[in-house]
Amino acid sequence: MSKSASIGPELTIGQLAKTAGVNVETIRYYQRIGLIIEPIKPAHGYRHYHSDTIEQIKFIKRAQQLGFSLQEVAELMSLGHGGCLDVRKRAEQKREKIDRQIQDLQALRETLNQLINTCKRDASDQYCPIVESLSKI
Amino acid sequence: MSKSASIGPELTIGQLAKTAGVNVETIRYYQRIGLIIEPIKPAHGYRHYHSDTIEQIKFIKRAQQLGFSLQEVAELMSLGHGGCLDVRKRAEQKREKIDRQIQDLQALRETLNQLINTCKRDASDQYCPIVESLSKI
DNA sequence: CTTGACTCCGTACCTAAGTACGTAGTTTAT
DNA sequence: ATAAACTACGTACTTAGGTACGGAGTCAAG
C-alpha cells in the first residue's frame, strides 16, 4: 500500500492474466515466442506489466478466433516497422487473405444452406438428402 | 493382370493416396483416429480400398481448408445417424457457426480497410495511422 | 527366383499452442 | 514473523494433425 499508489497502470502477471482472460502460462508462452515483450525484472520483486498489454492479449485472442496463427498475429502486430508505405502494403495483403477466407466460408455456407432446404420436406423421413450429398460437397 | 480385370473399383493404399492427393501416412492416421474405416485385411495380400474413399478423403480435406477440425469433420460425416430431423438440426448449427465466423471476418476486414484508406494520404510519412490504431482493433 | 517397389505395423518424431510441475524467491495478510 | 498466496524459471507433458522410420511380408517383372 505504501509504494505504487496507482502511479501508473502496472500489473503483476497474475493480474494481467486475470483481466485479459488468459492463463499466466499463456502469457509466459507468448513471451517465450516473442509475441509480447517481457518487462525487465526489477532487482527486487516481480515484473510490472503495463495495462496496455491487456488490449494486446485481447487482440491476439480475437485474431486467433478468426483463424490467424500466432505467427500471423505476430505479422499483424509488426505492421508498424518499415514506414507507412510498407505498412499499407502489408495491410492490403492481409485484407486479401481475409477476403479469400470470407469467400470460402460463404461458399460453404451456401452449400450447407441448400442441403438444409432440401431436407425441409419430411423431417421424419429415413432417407436424408444431406447424407446422400455430403460426400459430394 | 490375370486377376481383378477391373471387377470393382478397388485400390491399394498407395493408389488411394495418390489419387486422393494425400500421403499414405495420412490415410493410416485417419484410420487410427476412426475417421475412415480400415478395410479388412485379406488372409493373404494387401487391403483393398473402395474408390469411394477417394471422395471421402477429398471431402475431409476441403472441410479442413474451411477451418473444420478433424473432430468436426467426423461430426459432419456422422450426420447420417439419427434421421433427417437430427441431421438438419446439426447442419443448422454448423451454419450458424459459419455465419458468426463470416461476420467476425467482415468486421476485421472493415477495420483493416479503414486503416488502409487513412494511410493513403502520404505514403512516405513516418507517422502511420495504421500503427497508431492497430492495438485497438 | 531374385530384385525392387510396395504394404503392414508399431513406434518415434515434429510443429503449434499451450498446460502443468517443481523448486526457489517474494509479498501480503494475519 | 510466519503461513498463504503469488511470481520466476526451467523443464516436461499434452493435443491435434500429421510425418518418418525400421523391419517384415508381399507382389510383379525380368
Side-chain angles (χ1 to χ4, degrees), chain A residues 1-66:
Chain A
M1 242 193 238
S2 58
K3 207 164 46 164
S4 80
S6 277
I7 300 168
E10 299 200 331
L11 312 158
T12 68
I13 196 169
Q15 293 164 338
L16 174 59
K18 196 161 198 177
T19 53
V22 297
N23 201 311
V24 167
E25 301 304 322
T26 303
I27 295 172
R28 301 204 340 97
Y29 173 67
Y30 288 168
Q31 290 172 351
R32 276 209 297 287
I33 64 170
L35 195 55
I36 63 182
I37 44 170
E38 187 168 37
I40 46 157
K41 190 189 176 178
H44 219 62
Y46 301 153
R47 293 174 198 277
H48 314 302
Y49 289 81
H50 195 272
S51 63
D52 286 358
T53 319
I54 299 168
E55 284 313 306
Q56 232 179 106
I57 292 171
K58 286 189 176 172
F59 171 72
I60 294 168
K61 283 297 170 190
R62 273 192 304 269
Q64 258 188 324
Q65 279 165 16
L66 295 172

Side-chain angles (χ1 to χ4, degrees), chain B residues 73-133:
Chain B
V73 175
E75 282 168 38
L76 278 174
M77 299 204 312
S78 76
L79 283 180
H81 314 307
C84 205
L85 188 66
D86 178 56
V87 172
R88 212 183 70 211
K89 207 173 277 176
R90 300 224 241 163
E92 280 166 357
Q93 283 166 10
K94 265 326 160 201
R95 187 178 55 182
E96 279 161 31
K97 192 183 167 184
I98 292 165
D99 281 346
R100 283 192 297 277
Q101 276 189 69
I102 291 172
Q103 278 166 30
D104 286 348
L105 280 173
Q106 276 167 347
L108 179 64
R109 199 227 182 256
E110 191 41 44
T111 308
L112 214 48
N113 203 32
Q114 279 168 24
L115 291 177
I116 290 164
N117 287 336
T118 34
C119 200
K120 281 242 156 67
R121 295 177 297 157
D122 185 356
S124 61
D125 206 338
Q126 272 306 80
Y127 164 82
C128 181
I130 294 184
V131 178
E132 293 308 305
S133 52

